[in-house]
Amino acid sequence: MLRSLYIQNYALIERLDIDFENGFSVITGETGAGKSIILGAIGLLLGQRADVKSIRRGTAKCIIEARFDVSACGMQSYFSQNEIDYDSECILRREVAVSGKSRAFINDSPVSLAQMKELGEQLIDIHSQHQNLLLNTEGFQLNVLDILAQNEPLLSTYQTSYNDWKQICRCLDDVLAQVERDKADEDYVRFQLQQLNEAALRADEQDELEQESSVLSHAEEIKAALYRTEQMLTSDEGGLLSTLKDCQGVLNGLERVYPPASELASRIESTYIELKDVAQEVTDREEETEFSPERLDEVNNRLNLIYSLEQKHHVDTVEALLALAEDYSARLAAITSSDDRIVELQAKRDAYHTKIMELAAELTKCRLQAARRLEEQMAVRLSLLGMPNARFVVESGARKEPGLHGMDTVRFLFSANKNGMLRDISSVASGGEIARVMLSVKAVIAGAVKLPTIVFDEIDTGVSGEIADRMADIMQEMGNEGRQVISITHLPQIAARGRAHYKVYKEDNDTETRSFIRRLSSEERVEELAHMLSGAVLTDAALNNARALLSTGSSDNKPLNTHKTI
C-alpha cells in the first residue's frame, strides 16, 4: 500500500511530503488546483515518459519518491529475480534532469524504467477518465475475463507456445522462399559450379604460374647472364675461384715466418668452398634454363583462364574462386536437401499448432465460465448503482486463426433498459452509465487482482445524488477488503465516505503559482464538504448537511488535530 509520497520541483509543486492511510481515502480540490499533477508524478513511478517541461522552472531536476508497504504482497520473487534488496517497505524513486536524463531507483538500487514499470504496475492502479474508453477494447475485455478466471499461468504457457509456433512458421516461410529462389537459379548455379570444377584450380597456383611465365619470357636473357657469371667464377684465367686458390697458396707459404697467415689462408679456403658451390648452382641453373614457346603458351593460356574467371566473378585470387565454388556447391546441396528440411519444419509447425489449440481450448473454457460469473455480478452491482433493468452480456466468438491471446473474440454488450437492444457499451451508454459500468467491473475484478492500491480519478463523472452514494458504498467496500482505495472526486457524497480526506489547492504570489495538498481535520472536512455542497458562500444549511453526510459516512472517520502541508 502507498504509505507516503514525496514530490520536489514537479510542475507547480515545489515540495510535497504527504502520508496516506489504509482503506478508502478521498482527494478533493477545485479544477486546476493540481490533482492531475500529483497523478502525473505518480505516473513517472509507473514508467511513463518524462517530459522536461514538467520540471519546475529554475530548478535542475525533479524528484518523485513513493514508499509502499509490500509486506503482504508476496513480491519477494520479483526482488530476487531482479537482484534488488527486499524489504517490507519498498521505495520507488524517479529523478528527471533538465538535460532530459532520467534515473530510476528501487530501494536505492539503480534500475531500468522497464523494471520500475513492472513493479509499479503490481503496486498501484490509476484509473483515469480516459480509461473508460477501454471498456470497448477487446484487449481490456479479454484481460478482465482472464483476471476473473485467474488464467495468468495458463495464458503465459499458451503465449510461450504461440511465439514458438510463430517462429517456426516464419522459419518455414523463409526456407520455402529461399528454396523457390534457389530452384529458379539452380541451372545457373550448376553451370557456374561446373565451369569452376572443370578449371581444376589449386590454391597458390596463380603465383606459381605468373613466376614461371616471367622466367620463360626472359629465358635467353637469364641463360646469358648465368653463363657470364659462371665464366667469371670458374675461368682458368682471371676467374674468382682460380684467383682465390692462388691467394691461399701465397698465404700458406708465409706460415713458417708469419703465423697469422695460416688463419687468413683458412678463411680464404672457406670462401673458396662457398663460391665453388655457388658456381656449381649457377652452372646447373644455366643448363636447365631453356626457352620453350610451347610451355610459355601453355602457362599463359592457363593464366588467361584464371584471369577470365576472376574477372567474371569479380574476385582477385584463385582462393576466392575456390571459396565461390564451395558456396555454389553448398547451395546445390541445400536445394537437394531442402525437401527434408521442409518436412521437418512442417512437422514441428503442426506439433506446435496442436499444442496451442489445446491450450487455447482450455483458455476458452475458463473464459466462458468467467464470463457467466461476470454477467451475474455485474447485474447485481449495476442494480445497486441505480440500473435495475440494465443488461450486461459477454458475447464470445472464435478467431479463424490463433492469436497472441488465444482463439477467443469478446465483446461487452450493454443495455440500460430492460427491452433495449444490446450493443457495444460505447455506442449506447452515457458518460454516467459508463462510469458506473467501469466501477462495477473494477469492483468485480478487484478481488482477483493482488493490487494493493487503486486510485480512481473522477470515476464519478456524470453521476450525482443517490447514485453517488452507492458508488461511494462500492469504493468504501473495496477499501475495507484489505486494499487501499483513493478517489479523486468532486462529489460531496463520495468525499464524506473517506477514512482520510486530502485537499489539493494552489496559491499565487507576484512571481509564481504553487500547488499544495494537506490532510483535513474533522472541522476542515465539514467546511470543505459544505463548500462542495453550496459553493463559495458557507451557509448554516450547508454546514449542517455536511455534518450529516459525515455522520452517516465512514465509521473510520477520525478527528485529526494535525495536518501536513506541502
Side-chain angles (χ1 to χ4, degrees), residues 24-28 492-503 518-533 538 542-543 546-547 549-550 553-554 556-560:
F24 179 46
S25 300
V26 296
I27 298 176
T28 61
Q493 296 93 329
I494 292 177
R497 298 295 189 89
R499 178 180 182 182
H501 187 157
Y502 303 88
K503 180 178 180 179
R518 71 176 186 218
R519 180 172 176 173
L520 301 180
S521 67
S522 297
E523 281 305 312
E524 287 173 328
R525 290 193 71 178
V526 171
E527 292 185 5
E528 175 68 7
L529 290 175
H531 279 300
M532 295 174 73
L533 287 165
L538 288 180
L543 290 169
R547 292 187 183 95
L549 282 175
L550 284 171
S554 172
D556 291 326
N557 290 332
K558 299 177 181 179
L560 290 173

Side-chain angles (χ1 to χ4, degrees), residues 327-342:
D327 180 64
Y328 283 141
S329 180
R331 288 176 63 179
L332 286 176
I335 294 172
T336 303
S337 62
S338 60
D339 290 343
D340 294 339
R341 176 62 173 159
I342 290 171

Side-chain angles (χ1 to χ4, degrees), residues 322-367:
L322 292 172
L324 189 61
E326 290 182 5
D327 180 64
Y328 283 141
S329 180
R331 288 176 63 179
L332 286 176
I335 294 172
T336 303
S337 62
S338 60
D339 290 343
D340 294 339
R341 176 62 173 159
I342 290 171
V343 169
E344 176 188 354
L345 289 173
Q346 287 174 335
K348 286 184 177 180
R349 177 200 61 189
D350 295 342
Y352 274 115
H353 186 267
T354 299
K355 182 177 180 180
I356 64 173
M357 292 302 291
E358 291 173 352
L359 292 170
E362 293 183 46
L363 281 172
T364 298
K365 180 180 178 181
C366 294
R367 285 167 176 168

Side-chain angles (χ1 to χ4, degrees), residues 423-493:
R423 294 180 182 174
D424 289 331
I425 290 177
S426 62
S427 63
V428 295
S430 66
E433 289 170 341
I434 288 179
R436 282 179 275 177
V437 171
M438 180 57 95
L439 178 59
S440 298
V441 169
K442 288 277 185 175
V444 169
I445 66 176
V449 180
K450 296 180 181 179
L451 276 171
T453 301
I454 300 176
V455 179
F456 290 112
D457 180 18
E458 299 183 2
I459 196 172
D460 48 34
T461 299
V463 301
S464 60
E466 184 181 356
I467 303 305
D469 279 331
R470 295 180 179 179
M471 292 184 77
D473 287 339
I474 291 177
M475 286 186 276
Q476 193 174 35
E477 176 189 350
M478 293 170 68
N480 291 336
E481 292 175 347
R483 70 175 52 81
Q484 182 183 47
V485 177
I486 300 172
S487 176
I488 297 174
T489 182
H490 287 295
L491 298 181
Q493 296 93 329

